[in-house]
Structure formats: structure tokens, C-alpha cells
Amino acid sequence: VALDALSRAGPDLTLGHITLDKTLPIAAGIGGGSADAAAVLRLVRAENASQSDAVDWTTLAKSLGADVPVCFANTACWMDGIGERLTPLAVPFPELAAVLVNPCVSVPADKTARVFRALGAAPLANNPTPDDAKPALRTHDDVLRLMRATANDLEPAARAIVPEIGVVLAALSENPSAEIVRMSGGGPTCFAIYRTDDDAREAAAQIRTAQPQWWVAPTTLS
């Protein structure tokens, strides 16, 4: 899809071919497809440096998905609008030890669309967040403080469509080292944040033992 969009946006661009080795669950809700699309845009832009000004890369990224622009920026950002208005964080984002868990159950092909329909929320006001209202996110604790003050509004709707999400959240919450547990995006992947990499690896091992059919990945978010 990204290559097709590029061929229309810049007919003279050198594109090439892409071979994708996907190691994430399908429809995981962790932005894998958006990250892949953004990586293609960055590669093509680098390959066509002399012609890059001829393409409106931000508009092109937005046309591929609401979270493609931030993946294209390839840095931690505060996002406004539907995701196209980006404010890069002033300092490097702190590294967070985490565990990602997907129950590997069958989900509807239009899962994300169903989640948003079930949410039934009114359109958000098209007002950017004032700079003085954007919290500083310099440390591990800064991020946790923001997360504890907010929530993923899609979670109730997603759990109604994929009930296994509740089982995954409960499993992550059972480990006392988990500092915060959330669903990612529109689900069904969920995650927990830990103080150390060792805590995350230990929690992942416990979940794998209890649920060997699940996809479990200790990682670092940064």
C-alpha cells in the first residue's frame, strides 16, 4: 500500500521491491503495520534525496493511517489532531522495561473499525494541546504519572469485541512487579511496565509458562 501511494505521489521516484518478514501477531494493535509503512517512506525518501522536496511526506504518511506520521518521524512525540500534529519531546524519552502480550485469538477482520463504532464517542474538538499543558516526560516516573492520570478509552469497547483482552490484563496484573497495565491501541495486545529489565523478563517467563499459546515479548519501550 505504501509503495502504491508513493508511485502516485511521486511518479519519478525510485521505489524498488519490499520483502517483509513479519514477526508480530496479525492485527496486534501495536502499530506494526504503521511502523512498516513509515519505514518504507523513510527508505524511499533516503533513496531519492534529490527529489524528496517534490513529495509532501507528512500528508502522504497521514493518508496511510493516523499513527503513520509519528512512525515516520521516528522519535517520541506528543500527538494532537488525529495524530498528524506532532511535537517532538525536548529530551530523549526514558527507556521503559515492558512486556507485550497477545492472546493469539481470532479477531474480526474489521476489528479496529468495530471498536471505534462500539466506542460511539463524539468527535474530538480540533484544538491542539497548549505547550504548557504538555507534561515533561524526562524520567520513568514522569511517564507513569501521566499514564496513571489517563486511560485507553478504547478498552471497554475492545473488551466487548475480544473478551480475551480482560484475561490478558488480569494475567499481567497478577505480577506484583507490574507498575502499570494497559491495553495497546485497539487491542488485543496488552502491556505492563516494570522498573527493571529483570522484572520484565521474569514476568514474561511466568506468563509463558501459564499461557504457552500466547505471544509474550519482553522488550524496552523508548
Side-chain angles (χ1 to χ4, degrees):
V1 176
L3 286 178
D4 288 343
L6 281 162
S7 68
R8 294 190 296 271
D12 297 327
L13 295 175
T14 299
L15 299 181
H17 301 277
I18 301 294
T19 299
L20 176 63
D21 183 11
K22 189 174 181 70
T23 58
L24 303 177
I26 300 297
I30 53 179
S34 296
D36 291 339
V40 170
L41 298 188
R42 291 198 304 272
L43 286 169
V44 172
R45 182 178 62 175
E47 182 66 25
N48 296 269
S50 63
Q51 303 179 60
S52 63
D53 291 344
V55 177
D56 184 345
W57 296 97
T58 300
T59 299
L60 180 58
K62 178 183 172 183
S63 74
L64 295 171
D67 51 355
V68 177
V70 73
C71 294
F72 181 64
N74 201 31
T75 190
C77 295
W78 185 274
M79 301 164 65
D80 277 305
I82 66 167
E84 82 284 7
R85 293 199 298 266
L86 305 176
T87 304
L89 299 184
V91 295
F93 194 77
E95 294 188 345
L96 304 173
V99 174
L100 308 178
V101 179
N102 186 291
C104 294
V105 295
S106 178
V107 299
D110 60 344
K111 178 260 301 179
T112 301
R114 288 196 191 186
V115 169
F116 277 96
R117 286 197 296 269
L119 178 66
L124 296 173
N126 191 22
N127 299 320
T129 306
D131 287 342
D132 59 3
K134 297 172 183 174
L137 299 174
R138 297 184 176 88
T139 69
H140 181 106
D141 289 331
D142 287 340
V143 178
L144 290 188
R145 192 175 301 111
L146 175 62
M147 293 183 71
R148 288 178 178 134
T150 58
N152 184 343
D153 292 339
L154 296 177
E155 184 185 315
R159 290 176 68 159
I161 294 165
V162 186
E164 290 84 358
I165 291 171
V167 180
V168 174
L169 290 169
L172 285 165
S173 299
E174 286 176 0
N175 190 299
S177 296
E179 296 187 301
I180 199 160
V181 175
R182 289 285 190 273
M183 184 187 78
S184 172
T189 300
C190 302
F191 67 93
I193 303 297
Y194 302 83
R195 183 62 54 175
T196 69
D197 291 335
D198 286 342
D199 288 341
R201 285 191 290 266
E202 180 181 347
Q206 292 173 355
I207 294 173
R208 284 197 192 105
T209 299
Q211 300 286 355
Q213 75 279 17
W214 288 359
W215 178 79
V216 181
T219 188
T220 301
L221 306 179
S222 62

